[in-house]
Amino acid sequence: MIGLILIGLARCIAMVIVWNDLAKGNREYAALLVALNSIFQIATYTFLVWLFINVLPNKLGLANFDVSVPMKDVTESILIYLGVPFLAGFISRYLLIKLKGIEWYARKFIPKISPITLYALLFTIVLMFSLKGDVLVALPMDILKVAAPLIIYFVLMFFVSFFINKSLKMPYAKNASIAFTATGNNFELAIAVSISIFGIHSPQAFVGVIGPLVEVPVLVLLVKASLWMKKKYYA
């Protein structure tokens, strides 16, 4: 349950760009939402983890965890895995545009470093599965218990967001960007927090590894659904 909560609280800031592009959403709008998500997570993720794990489950009678998540460790993980890259991106953009100009930055620098994101994501997934592959095979029922709420969450978040935006007369390109931003999760952050607090062999880290295994096929299907709804509602 703690692993799922850590995932649910971590808003997507990486793969949402991929889903948005596949669904023909507004790339600039999606990039803005990703930047805002990064800022919000750096500012609020520690508080939300404290609230949803250390306080609310016990207050609402849903669960009484034997472990209290230390906020200092959560904050350190966020600053390392979100704060440092965000700051590096901001500084590199500012300095390189000042030295080389916006055209060189957009046409030369960005295309060269863009593939690094995908390579790093693929490396992370391969590494996770190599470390947890035996556990995934040995505990199929545990995988289903984690997958079920994730699938429900993805589907509900996407369709509720999509139809709310449609009722507000939002253009399809922006609607798709918002819907996929609302749907995706930052599994890398959830895994980093789980490993730093509970250890790489913990059940919480195990849940984080299952996350991308569930998200990728579900979001691919939601991309298909988004394109179908574009034809149906925005033709």
Side-chain angles (χ1 to χ4, degrees), residues 108-125:
K108 298 289 186 179
F109 181 71
I110 292 297
K112 285 186 178 180
I113 68 166
S114 291
I116 296 175
T117 302
L118 182 59
Y119 298 151
L121 184 62
L122 290 173
F123 173 77
T124 303
I125 293 174

PDB file of all heavy atoms in Angstrom, residues 108-125:
ATOM      1  N   LYS A 108      20.613  22.774 -32.498  1.00  0.00           N
ATOM      2  CA  LYS A 108      21.808  21.952 -32.355  1.00  0.00           C
ATOM      3  C   LYS A 108      21.850  21.192 -31.026  1.00  0.00           C
ATOM      4  O   LYS A 108      22.007  19.966 -30.992  1.00  0.00           O
ATOM      5  CB  LYS A 108      23.064  22.833 -32.477  1.00  0.00           C
ATOM      6  CG  LYS A 108      23.225  23.517 -33.810  1.00  0.00           C
ATOM      7  CD  LYS A 108      23.594  22.522 -34.918  1.00  0.00           C
ATOM      8  CE  LYS A 108      23.883  23.279 -36.215  1.00  0.00           C
ATOM      9  NZ  LYS A 108      24.266  22.340 -37.296  1.00  0.00           N
ATOM     10  N   PHE A 109      21.727  21.942 -29.939  1.00  0.00           N
ATOM     11  CA  PHE A 109      21.924  21.345 -28.613  1.00  0.00           C
ATOM     12  C   PHE A 109      20.784  20.412 -28.217  1.00  0.00           C
ATOM     13  O   PHE A 109      21.018  19.259 -27.825  1.00  0.00           O
ATOM     14  CB  PHE A 109      22.090  22.457 -27.569  1.00  0.00           C
ATOM     15  CG  PHE A 109      22.322  21.949 -26.171  1.00  0.00           C
ATOM     16  CD1 PHE A 109      23.524  21.346 -25.836  1.00  0.00           C
ATOM     17  CD2 PHE A 109      21.342  22.072 -25.198  1.00  0.00           C
ATOM     18  CE1 PHE A 109      23.749  20.872 -24.552  1.00  0.00           C
ATOM     19  CE2 PHE A 109      21.559  21.606 -23.917  1.00  0.00           C
ATOM     20  CZ  PHE A 109      22.764  21.002 -23.597  1.00  0.00           C
ATOM     21  N   ILE A 110      19.539  20.883 -28.305  1.00  0.00           N
ATOM     22  CA  ILE A 110      18.387  20.091 -27.879  1.00  0.00           C
ATOM     23  C   ILE A 110      18.271  18.770 -28.646  1.00  0.00           C
ATOM     24  O   ILE A 110      18.084  17.709 -28.027  1.00  0.00           O
ATOM     25  CB  ILE A 110      17.085  20.914 -27.999  1.00  0.00           C
ATOM     26  CG1 ILE A 110      17.075  22.050 -26.979  1.00  0.00           C
ATOM     27  CG2 ILE A 110      15.864  20.024 -27.799  1.00  0.00           C
ATOM     28  CD1 ILE A 110      17.102  21.581 -25.537  1.00  0.00           C
ATOM     29  N   PRO A 111      18.390  18.765 -29.997  1.00  0.00           N
ATOM     30  CA  PRO A 111      18.307  17.476 -30.708  1.00  0.00           C
ATOM     31  C   PRO A 111      19.384  16.473 -30.310  1.00  0.00           C
ATOM     32  O   PRO A 111      19.154  15.261 -30.345  1.00  0.00           O
ATOM     33  CB  PRO A 111      18.465  17.876 -32.184  1.00  0.00           C
ATOM     34  CG  PRO A 111      17.993  19.287 -32.244  1.00  0.00           C
ATOM     35  CD  PRO A 111      18.429  19.906 -30.941  1.00  0.00           C
ATOM     36  N   LYS A 112      20.562  16.973 -29.889  1.00  0.00           N
ATOM     37  CA  LYS A 112      21.644  16.065 -29.506  1.00  0.00           C
ATOM     38  C   LYS A 112      21.409  15.433 -28.141  1.00  0.00           C
ATOM     39  O   LYS A 112      21.757  14.267 -27.927  1.00  0.00           O
ATOM     40  CB  LYS A 112      22.984  16.816 -29.506  1.00  0.00           C
ATOM     41  CG  LYS A 112      23.530  17.079 -30.901  1.00  0.00           C
ATOM     42  CD  LYS A 112      24.914  17.698 -30.831  1.00  0.00           C
ATOM     43  CE  LYS A 112      25.476  17.901 -32.241  1.00  0.00           C
ATOM     44  NZ  LYS A 112      26.836  18.509 -32.201  1.00  0.00           N
ATOM     45  N   ILE A 113      20.847  16.196 -27.206  1.00  0.00           N
ATOM     46  CA  ILE A 113      20.671  15.649 -25.853  1.00  0.00           C
ATOM     47  C   ILE A 113      19.305  14.995 -25.646  1.00  0.00           C
ATOM     48  O   ILE A 113      19.120  14.260 -24.672  1.00  0.00           O
ATOM     49  CB  ILE A 113      20.882  16.734 -24.770  1.00  0.00           C
ATOM     50  CG1 ILE A 113      19.756  17.784 -24.827  1.00  0.00           C
ATOM     51  CG2 ILE A 113      22.236  17.374 -24.897  1.00  0.00           C
ATOM     52  CD1 ILE A 113      19.716  18.665 -23.611  1.00  0.00           C
ATOM     53  N   SER A 114      18.357  15.248 -26.542  1.00  0.00           N
ATOM     54  CA  SER A 114      17.004  14.696 -26.365  1.00  0.00           C
ATOM     55  C   SER A 114      16.975  13.178 -26.237  1.00  0.00           C
ATOM     56  O   SER A 114      16.246  12.641 -25.395  1.00  0.00           O
ATOM     57  CB  SER A 114      16.096  15.143 -27.510  1.00  0.00           C
ATOM     58  OG  SER A 114      15.840  16.527 -27.422  1.00  0.00           O
ATOM     59  N   PRO A 115      17.743  12.428 -27.070  1.00  0.00           N
ATOM     60  CA  PRO A 115      17.692  10.960 -26.942  1.00  0.00           C
ATOM     61  C   PRO A 115      18.182  10.430 -25.606  1.00  0.00           C
ATOM     62  O   PRO A 115      17.859   9.303 -25.234  1.00  0.00           O
ATOM     63  CB  PRO A 115      18.617  10.481 -28.077  1.00  0.00           C
ATOM     64  CG  PRO A 115      18.660  11.609 -29.045  1.00  0.00           C
ATOM     65  CD  PRO A 115      18.569  12.842 -28.211  1.00  0.00           C
ATOM     66  N   ILE A 116      18.942  11.235 -24.859  1.00  0.00           N
ATOM     67  CA  ILE A 116      19.476  10.776 -23.574  1.00  0.00           C
ATOM     68  C   ILE A 116      18.341  10.404 -22.621  1.00  0.00           C
ATOM     69  O   ILE A 116      18.434   9.448 -21.854  1.00  0.00           O
ATOM     70  CB  ILE A 116      20.381  11.855 -22.941  1.00  0.00           C
ATOM     71  CG1 ILE A 116      21.613  12.089 -23.830  1.00  0.00           C
ATOM     72  CG2 ILE A 116      20.808  11.452 -21.529  1.00  0.00           C
ATOM     73  CD1 ILE A 116      22.503  13.222 -23.342  1.00  0.00           C
ATOM     74  N   THR A 117      17.242  11.154 -22.681  1.00  0.00           N
ATOM     75  CA  THR A 117      16.097  10.884 -21.811  1.00  0.00           C
ATOM     76  C   THR A 117      15.560   9.481 -22.035  1.00  0.00           C
ATOM     77  O   THR A 117      15.325   8.714 -21.091  1.00  0.00           O
ATOM     78  CB  THR A 117      14.976  11.910 -22.071  1.00  0.00           C
ATOM     79  OG1 THR A 117      15.481  13.215 -21.839  1.00  0.00           O
ATOM     80  CG2 THR A 117      13.789  11.653 -21.157  1.00  0.00           C
ATOM     81  N   LEU A 118      15.363   9.125 -23.300  1.00  0.00           N
ATOM     82  CA  LEU A 118      14.836   7.809 -23.629  1.00  0.00           C
ATOM     83  C   LEU A 118      15.821   6.711 -23.251  1.00  0.00           C
ATOM     84  O   LEU A 118      15.438   5.681 -22.691  1.00  0.00           O
ATOM     85  CB  LEU A 118      14.511   7.729 -25.123  1.00  0.00           C
ATOM     86  CG  LEU A 118      13.908   6.411 -25.620  1.00  0.00           C
ATOM     87  CD1 LEU A 118      12.615   6.097 -24.890  1.00  0.00           C
ATOM     88  CD2 LEU A 118      13.679   6.465 -27.122  1.00  0.00           C
ATOM     89  N   TYR A 119      17.124   6.931 -23.537  1.00  0.00           N
ATOM     90  CA  TYR A 119      18.129   5.927 -23.194  1.00  0.00           C
ATOM     91  C   TYR A 119      18.181   5.700 -21.682  1.00  0.00           C
ATOM     92  O   TYR A 119      18.274   4.559 -21.215  1.00  0.00           O
ATOM     93  CB  TYR A 119      19.515   6.371 -23.687  1.00  0.00           C
ATOM     94  CG  TYR A 119      19.621   6.530 -25.185  1.00  0.00           C
ATOM     95  CD1 TYR A 119      20.512   7.446 -25.751  1.00  0.00           C
ATOM     96  CD2 TYR A 119      18.816   5.781 -26.041  1.00  0.00           C
ATOM     97  CE1 TYR A 119      20.608   7.605 -27.129  1.00  0.00           C
ATOM     98  CE2 TYR A 119      18.908   5.943 -27.417  1.00  0.00           C
ATOM     99  CZ  TYR A 119      19.803   6.849 -27.951  1.00  0.00           C
ATOM    100  OH  TYR A 119      19.887   7.009 -29.307  1.00  0.00           O
ATOM    101  N   ALA A 120      18.125   6.785 -20.926  1.00  0.00           N
ATOM    102  CA  ALA A 120      18.175   6.673 -19.466  1.00  0.00           C
ATOM    103  C   ALA A 120      16.950   5.944 -18.935  1.00  0.00           C
ATOM    104  O   ALA A 120      17.050   5.120 -18.014  1.00  0.00           O
ATOM    105  CB  ALA A 120      18.275   8.060 -18.844  1.00  0.00           C
ATOM    106  N   LEU A 121      15.777   6.228 -19.521  1.00  0.00           N
ATOM    107  CA  LEU A 121      14.553   5.567 -19.095  1.00  0.00           C
ATOM    108  C   LEU A 121      14.609   4.073 -19.387  1.00  0.00           C
ATOM    109  O   LEU A 121      14.266   3.236 -18.539  1.00  0.00           O
ATOM    110  CB  LEU A 121      13.347   6.196 -19.799  1.00  0.00           C
ATOM    111  CG  LEU A 121      11.975   5.665 -19.391  1.00  0.00           C
ATOM    112  CD1 LEU A 121      11.709   5.933 -17.915  1.00  0.00           C
ATOM    113  CD2 LEU A 121      10.886   6.284 -20.255  1.00  0.00           C
ATOM    114  N   LEU A 122      15.078   3.720 -20.585  1.00  0.00           N
ATOM    115  CA  LEU A 122      15.200   2.305 -20.947  1.00  0.00           C
ATOM    116  C   LEU A 122      16.207   1.596 -20.044  1.00  0.00           C
ATOM    117  O   LEU A 122      15.982   0.458 -19.616  1.00  0.00           O
ATOM    118  CB  LEU A 122      15.620   2.178 -22.415  1.00  0.00           C
ATOM    119  CG  LEU A 122      14.567   2.581 -23.452  1.00  0.00           C
ATOM    120  CD1 LEU A 122      15.172   2.562 -24.849  1.00  0.00           C
ATOM    121  CD2 LEU A 122      13.357   1.657 -23.390  1.00  0.00           C
ATOM    122  N   PHE A 123      17.316   2.272 -19.751  1.00  0.00           N
ATOM    123  CA  PHE A 123      18.327   1.689 -18.861  1.00  0.00           C
ATOM    124  C   PHE A 123      17.752   1.441 -17.474  1.00  0.00           C
ATOM    125  O   PHE A 123      17.986   0.394 -16.862  1.00  0.00           O
ATOM    126  CB  PHE A 123      19.539   2.626 -18.765  1.00  0.00           C
ATOM    127  CG  PHE A 123      20.554   2.187 -17.747  1.00  0.00           C
ATOM    128  CD1 PHE A 123      21.435   1.146 -18.013  1.00  0.00           C
ATOM    129  CD2 PHE A 123      20.614   2.815 -16.507  1.00  0.00           C
ATOM    130  CE1 PHE A 123      22.365   0.740 -17.062  1.00  0.00           C
ATOM    131  CE2 PHE A 123      21.537   2.416 -15.555  1.00  0.00           C
ATOM    132  CZ  PHE A 123      22.414   1.385 -15.835  1.00  0.00           C
ATOM    133  N   THR A 124      16.975   2.414 -16.972  1.00  0.00           N
ATOM    134  CA  THR A 124      16.364   2.267 -15.647  1.00  0.00           C
ATOM    135  C   THR A 124      15.428   1.074 -15.603  1.00  0.00           C
ATOM    136  O   THR A 124      15.449   0.276 -14.653  1.00  0.00           O
ATOM    137  CB  THR A 124      15.592   3.547 -15.271  1.00  0.00           C
ATOM    138  OG1 THR A 124      16.488   4.660 -15.312  1.00  0.00           O
ATOM    139  CG2 THR A 124      14.989   3.431 -13.883  1.00  0.00           C
ATOM    140  N   ILE A 125      14.589   0.938 -16.643  1.00  0.00           N
ATOM    141  CA  ILE A 125      13.628  -0.170 -16.685  1.00  0.00           C
ATOM    142  C   ILE A 125      14.343  -1.517 -16.762  1.00  0.00           C
ATOM    143  O   ILE A 125      13.997  -2.460 -16.056  1.00  0.00           O
ATOM    144  CB  ILE A 125      12.665   0.004 -17.870  1.00  0.00           C
ATOM    145  CG1 ILE A 125      11.777   1.232 -17.635  1.00  0.00           C
ATOM    146  CG2 ILE A 125      11.794  -1.236 -18.055  1.00  0.00           C
ATOM    147  CD1 ILE A 125      10.893   1.582 -18.806  1.00  0.00           C
TER     148      ILE A 125
END
